[in-house]
Amino acid sequence: MSLIVQKFGGSSVADAEGIKRVARRVVDTQAAGHQVVVVVSAMGDSTDELLDLAAQVSATSDAREMDMLLSAGERISMALLAMAIHGIGASAQSFTGSQAGMITDAIHGKARIIDVSPHRILTAIEKGDVAIVAGFQGMSRESNDITTLGRGGSDTTAVALAAALGADVCEIYTDVDGVYTADPRVVPSAQKIDTISSEEMLEMAASGAKILHLRCVEYARRFGVPLHVRSSFSHNEGTWVLPSPDDQIKIQEGEPLEQPIISGVAHDRSEAKVTVVGVPDIPGKAAEIFGIVAGANTNIDMIVQNVSTHGSGRTDISFTLPIVDGVEALAALGEAQDRVGFETVEYNEKIGKLSLIGAGMRSNPGVSYRFFRALSDAGVNIDMISTSEIRISVVTGADLLDDAVRAVHAAFELDGDATATVYAGSGR
Ligand code: ADP
Ligand code: ASP
Ligand code: MG
């Protein structure tokens, strides 16, 4: 008998029909002889709807109350799924994140898991029940408050439970058949990837491919949890994310084909660009600025510093950050303006980030040229550039992002013959 953790995203439990379909699938898995722990997301776009509601009642949101509000979405799906499973004659119990032993730090809206003690989950599955856990949430021992893990965080709940329970596999069920060479909503000719290394998947997730939450991939890699990303709307084999490079070698043994140079193109619309203009060009100023932004609990992504114009003694520092952190970071910078001595701050949310990812990039010199050529042929102006060993990213205007993604995808011959199926979801 194996233990399987199955996570169903919002699009898979969007309505009563969806919940009944998922119930059937879970019960079938159990009937095939497995112990099943299920993690659910909030129904459809209900997290976004709750956020919209919060914005309507107040312009400023209290982080603690926001977590109380958003964690309710997952609680609705968990209870409904348990009822649907009872409805087809099987037994199931639902648990909130805190009941399932998901202990986090006290940072609302982006809490990190610090301990998982799933005693009640173990008792439930040993008794023969399906255990259903509300994703995306936990509890802080420090504050005794409910926390959430950040948007898309149910994936991370699932992997954390899989690791703590020693599950054989963590299946992430969503509205497409797996991880594709690009978001199939933007590139219909994108192709499904059968296996991907966790290293490449980490870069894809970090670059905005929201098919998997970044911390879910990090967690799976650290604890060696095999991840299978697949659709809840089909029985097709999905994408396996291989936890260690050794697994990659094992899979490739006997296969004469080399891994493709490029595994995919990711894009991200969730970031904004901040430019701190006229920063005194003396040692310590960058440290001061990033200290201020870090104090506002913001994760900085790309950074560019322009050389100061001859003789001006001043420089501009640009960086990108999540739009949701924009207000706080700007307020913190504004407060420190006189002390740091910069001239102004500019802020732009109408940007997009495009990233090309592939482990084969390391040993293939022509990749950057081909990438920039494709963007230039598509008439895309580049605002910022950053690279890692296996990734090149650029920031462009938001309006050109989709065209840019398609151009780069085609330039690296990633287009397939078939149109990728998107089964459900609004892509919101
Ligand atoms: P869920 O509701 O199951 O959590 P998400 O909306 O979080 O689903 O993630 C699934 C979506 O991720 C897909 O519908 C697709 O639009 C998007 N996506 C982005 N990049 C990729 C990619 N490389 N491969 C597959 N899907 C992707
Ligand atoms: N419901 C949360 C969100 O929409 C968490 C998740 O779905 O993973 O971000
Ligand atoms: Mg998701």
Side-chain angles (χ1 to χ4, degrees):
M1 191 195 318
S2 59
L3 199 169
I4 303 183
V5 174
Q6 300 188 319
K7 178 257 169 178
F8 293 90
S11 47
S12 298
V13 292
D15 51 22
E17 271 322 300
I19 290 173
K20 288 203 273 188
R21 196 170 36 81
V22 166
R24 187 75 270 161
R25 188 149 192 158
V26 169
V27 171
D28 286 349
T29 308
Q30 197 192 37
H34 306 291
Q35 290 182 311
V36 190
V37 175
V38 178
V39 173
V40 279
S41 288
M43 295 172 70
D45 289 333
S46 60
T47 305
D48 291 290
E49 286 152 15
L50 291 173
L51 281 167
D52 291 347
L53 257 179
Q56 285 169 39
V57 297
S58 166
T60 55
S61 56
D62 179 88
R64 177 185 183 276
E65 299 312 324
M66 190 60 101
D67 276 356
M68 289 301 254
L69 176 70
L70 297 187
S71 58
E74 270 66 13
R75 296 178 62 157
I76 293 173
S77 349
M78 75 180 194
L80 288 172
L81 181 60
M83 291 174 195
I85 292 178
H86 300 160
I88 49 179
S91 50
Q93 288 181 66
S94 67
F95 300 92
T96 64
S98 66
Q99 286 176 319
M102 306 293 303
I103 305 301
T104 71
D105 62 19
I107 305 195
H108 288 293
K110 46 183 145 185
R112 291 196 155 261
I113 298 169
I114 53 180
D115 188 22
V116 183
S117 323
H119 310 297
R120 297 193 64 182
I121 305 304
L122 272 172
T123 311
I125 55 175
E126 271 157 19
K127 183 172 155 248
D129 289 356
V130 171
I132 305 168
V133 179
F136 167 66
Q137 56 186 271
M139 198 187 85
S140 156
R141 273 199 197 117
E142 214 179 294
S143 63
N144 276 325
D145 274 329
I146 300 300
T147 55
T148 63
L149 309 182
R151 296 305 307 271
S154 297
D155 297 341
T156 300
T157 304
V159 170
L161 273 172
L165 295 166
D168 297 273
V169 56
C170 180
E171 296 182 328
I172 306 285
Y173 285 92
T174 183
D175 52 14
V176 289
D177 274 321
V179 180
Y180 281 72
T181 49
D183 186 341
R185 288 179 205 271
V186 175
V187 187
S189 55
Q191 300 179 68
K192 192 183 80 190
I193 302 169
D194 293 332
T195 61
I196 185 167
S197 66
S198 58
E199 184 192 28
E200 287 166 302
M201 194 61 235
L202 272 177
E203 291 278 9
M204 294 267 277
S207 306
K210 68 170 182 149
I211 181 82
L212 282 178
H213 195 228
L214 173 61
R215 277 153 52 200
C216 153
V217 188
E218 287 171 348
Y219 216 105
R221 180 180 165 104
R222 171 132 50 98
F223 291 93
V225 178
L227 275 178
H228 187 190
V229 183
R230 57 194 310 194
S231 168
S232 71
F233 298 84
S234 79
H235 280 86
N236 298 337
E237 183 78 3
T239 300
W240 284 90
V241 182
L242 305 166
S244 75
D246 292 350
D247 291 319
Q248 185 79 14
I249 292 159
K250 266 184 245 149
I251 295 260
Q252 277 171 32
E253 257 171 38
E255 276 183 31
L257 285 178
E258 270 200 61
Q259 274 290 97
I261 300 169
I262 297 304
S263 53
V265 183
H267 71 278
D268 193 350
R269 293 181 187 283
S270 68
E271 292 189 350
K273 180 179 158 191
V274 175
T275 303
V276 187
V277 180
V279 181
D281 198 3
I282 51 173
K285 287 297 161 186
E288 267 184 65
I289 288 173
F290 291 112
I292 292 159
V293 181
N297 242 317
T298 291
N299 289 320
I300 299 294
D301 185 15
M302 284 195 202
I303 301 175
V304 171
Q305 176 177 338
N306 302 331
V307 187
S308 59
T309 343
H310 186 67
S312 76
R314 288 185 179 266
T315 177
D316 295 348
I317 297 179
S318 295
F319 57 88
T320 60
L321 81 188
I323 289 176
V324 288
D325 292 337
V327 174
E328 228 175 305
L330 288 181
L333 280 170
E335 245 169 60
Q337 180 167 3
D338 292 342
R339 178 162 49 84
V340 182
F342 59 82
E343 286 161 5
T344 53
V345 177
E346 287 169 6
Y347 181 70
N348 183 3
E349 289 187 355
K350 295 199 172 62
I351 60 155
K353 186 175 74 171
L354 179 158
S355 305
L356 180 73
I357 292 123
M361 228 180 247
R362 283 194 184 103
S363 48
N364 277 274
V367 172
S368 315
Y369 170 68
R370 205 157 147 196
F371 178 71
F372 289 112
R373 183 83 261 155
L375 290 172
S376 135
D377 289 348
V380 175
N381 194 38
I382 297 164
D383 221 14
M384 297 168 97
I385 303 174
S386 85
T387 59
S388 82
E389 228 187 317
I390 65 162
R391 174 186 53 78
I392 315 175
S393 303
V394 292
V395 167
T396 70
D399 51 338
L400 287 177
L401 185 62
D402 287 357
D403 287 343
V405 170
R406 287 188 280 265
V408 170
H409 194 265
F412 283 89
E413 289 161 14
L414 295 171
D415 289 336
D417 298 328
T419 299
T421 309
V422 177
Y423 296 94
S426 65
R428 192 170 171 185

